[in-house]
Amino acid sequence: IFRPENMRVCVVAGGNRTYIQNSFEGFASRFADMVGEKTNDPLPSLPFNPAGDLFERKFDTTYIPIDIPVHSCHLALETGVTYDHPDSAAMTVLSQMLSSLFLHREIREKGGAYGASAGHLQSGILQMSSYYDPNTLETLKAYGNGVDWLCRGEFSSRDVDEAIISVFGSVDAPKSPSSKGTSEFLHGLLPEDRQRYRDRFFELNRDILVEAANKRLSKYNNLGDEAWIDFNGESNNGSVCVIGSRESCPDKNKLGNWTVKKTL
């Protein structure tokens, strides 16, 4: 496996191209001296899968007990909207509003957690998380209620404008040559892909966002009820993980279908 012909290499650098090329070729030749004979056995196919095996099973709930008095609650929901999808900008803005307008209020201000946030990953996953959180089920219910809040469109056009401005702080932030190079190398994102993603923000309005929320998230409606206590999740793809107090462990509270990871 560890042979030059099996390698993919990304070099991001400025300066003399000939010098850089010669340096790399010297490295590759030294690398070749350290490997065995070439084999004709085919390498296994490993296509890039940004979501990994996160959703190999249906809705999964996991608790990891450790010796701390607080919790960190995480939820991941599959949306099917990757970076190059027409709804990618809409999901980014929806997650920004969910974070700043709903989760901050419900989980930090009302629930007493140190912080809570949401984000939409370029692999097509809406994630929510809290940290230094005194609650567990209450926070998970808030996540579900947040999804319903987005689908009902309980935000204003001004909220949308402010969220877009906030998102542009990262979209238009200066990017290092290394960041640009690795984005293309790892994810195949070309400059025109990033420009297309940026242009989509100018097409957004409240109605488009409500439509996108219902199209991508309505299947997760009613996650805010007591279903978290005994959730079988037979229809939707997602994952929940709570890391926290042993006293809140589902084993002790008889919380149904939770997988409890054994820790020291």
Side-chain angles (χ1 to χ4, degrees), residues 38-94:
K38 182 178 180 180
T39 175
N40 292 322
D41 295 337
L43 291 174
S45 175
L46 296 173
F48 174 64
N49 178 8
D53 294 326
L54 179 62
F55 302 116
E56 182 178 346
R57 293 179 290 172
K58 293 300 181 181
F59 213 108
D60 176 73
T61 47
T62 300
Y63 195 99
I64 302 176
I66 57 177
D67 292 322
I68 59 173
V70 290
H71 314 88
S72 182
C73 304
H74 304 269
L75 169 65
L77 302 176
E78 186 180 44
T79 66
V81 178
T82 53
Y83 186 89
D84 57 349
H85 193 282
D87 288 336
S88 58
M91 294 307 302
T92 299
V93 173
L94 286 168

Side-chain angles (χ1 to χ4, degrees), residues 85-105:
H85 193 282
D87 288 336
S88 58
M91 294 307 302
T92 299
V93 173
L94 286 168
S95 66
Q96 172 64 31
M97 290 192 295
L98 176 62
S99 182
S100 60
L101 300 178
F102 189 87
L103 297 184
H104 180 87
R105 179 185 71 217

Side-chain angles (χ1 to χ4, degrees), residues 184-199:
E184 181 174 344
F185 180 72
L186 295 176
H187 308 299
L189 297 179
L190 302 173
E192 51 265 35
D193 297 319
R194 293 191 289 270
Q195 184 61 48
R196 193 178 303 114
Y197 172 71
R198 184 183 187 278
D199 292 342

Side-chain angles (χ1 to χ4, degrees), residues 109-120:
E109 294 179 1
K110 294 182 181 180
Y114 192 82
S117 64
H120 189 262

Side-chain angles (χ1 to χ4, degrees), residues 150-153 155 205-215:
L150 288 176
C151 292
R152 291 193 301 268
F155 46 84
N205 57 45
R206 183 184 174 279
D207 292 340
I208 290 175
L209 291 175
V210 174
E211 180 182 357
N214 280 279
K215 184 164 50 174

Side-chain angles (χ1 to χ4, degrees), residues 75 139-149 220 222-224 228:
L75 169 65
T139 294
L140 297 179
K141 287 186 213 178
Y143 292 161
N145 291 335
V147 171
D148 294 341
W149 178 83
Y220 299 114
N222 303 318
L223 285 183
W228 292 114

Side-chain angles (χ1 to χ4, degrees), residues 13 17 21 23-24 30 32 38 41 64 78 90 105 111 116 121 133 142 150 166 176-177 205-207 222 233 252 258:
R17 180 172 180 172
Q21 183 174 348
S23 297
F24 173 73
R30 291 192 298 275
K38 182 178 180 180
D41 295 337
I64 302 176
E78 186 180 44
R105 179 185 71 217
L121 308 182
D133 190 345
L150 288 176
S166 178
S176 67
N205 57 45
R206 183 184 174 279
D207 292 340
N222 303 318
K252 295 186 178 181
W258 283 69

